[in-house]
Amino acid sequence: MARRQRDRVYESEDALIGPVSWYASVQGAQFHVDAFLRSKWWRTRSKVTHIEILYPLKTTGAYRIDDTHWRIEFSPRALCDLNVAHELTHVLMGVTQGQTPDDHDQDHSAHYAGAELEVVKHFLNADIARRLRDSFVENGAKYAEAPGPPLG
């Protein structure tokens, strides 16, 4: 079976798990996310003002509560800053995981991957964003500038 865009994005992220930081607690992750939501970078790109982090749960995913409030759930062994950035990108793009493989590819499209590079750059740092971009190239994940207001 051919690898899909979603698989390539995940493989690219997995290659970087070593140099990323693991949160010691859900409170630590929540503190980091809350600070990011108050940043000028985020406020000029999203109406979302509150994201609730839940951990540990069975699966990982981002879920819209309303226009300004989302919930992100993390499974055990998933609470690292790169995974948080991945889910923040879903919030920024306004997409949650669909039910079919085609939905999953749309949810992790080239525009999503491009937006993820910008989120990683601003939520984490430019070095990790550069490593992720290089990993996208190495794993064949497509990335492009996200449509809508320019990111950056």
Side-chain angles (χ1 to χ4, degrees):
M1 179 176 192
R3 290 182 345 182
R4 302 179 74 96
Q5 170 72 6
R6 176 183 187 230
D7 299 327
R8 294 169 193 263
V9 167
Y10 285 168
E11 289 165 6
S12 300
E13 294 166 349
D14 288 347
L16 295 186
I17 291 297
V20 301
S21 298
W22 295 88
Y23 292 104
S25 68
V26 68
Q27 293 85 0
Q30 187 70 63
F31 181 84
H32 193 186
V33 168
D34 290 347
F36 188 58
L37 295 182
R38 290 189 303 270
S39 73
K40 181 178 179 182
W41 188 89
W42 181 269
R43 287 183 291 111
T44 60
R45 287 161 180 79
S46 177
K47 292 189 255 184
V48 175
T49 58
H50 182 73
I51 296 173
E52 179 183 15
I53 305 292
L54 298 176
Y55 171 85
L57 296 174
K58 188 174 182 179
T59 61
T60 297
Y63 306 93
R64 180 192 312 264
I65 306 300
D66 59 42
D67 287 347
T68 62
H69 184 191
W70 283 60
R71 181 179 70 242
I72 300 177
E73 300 176 354
F74 290 95
S75 62
R77 296 182 302 234
L79 196 60
C80 72
D81 56 12
L82 189 58
N83 288 344
V84 173
H86 176 103
E87 297 305 328
L88 284 170
T89 306
H90 283 300
V91 174
L92 181 66
M93 298 293 289
V95 295
T96 59
Q97 183 171 316
Q99 300 303 311
T100 70
D102 287 338
D103 291 340
H104 295 178
D105 276 349
Q106 181 179 350
D107 298 346
H108 297 84
S109 68
H111 292 299
Y112 168 88
E116 183 179 19
L117 291 173
E118 289 298 315
V119 169
V120 167
K121 177 180 173 184
H122 293 276
F123 183 66
L124 303 177
N125 64 57
D127 181 57
I128 294 175
R130 188 182 70 253
R131 289 184 201 184
L132 181 58
R133 184 196 63 225
D134 293 347
S135 191
F136 282 164
V137 170
E138 184 177 318
N139 287 288
K142 297 175 182 162
Y143 62 94
E145 185 174 322
L151 297 174

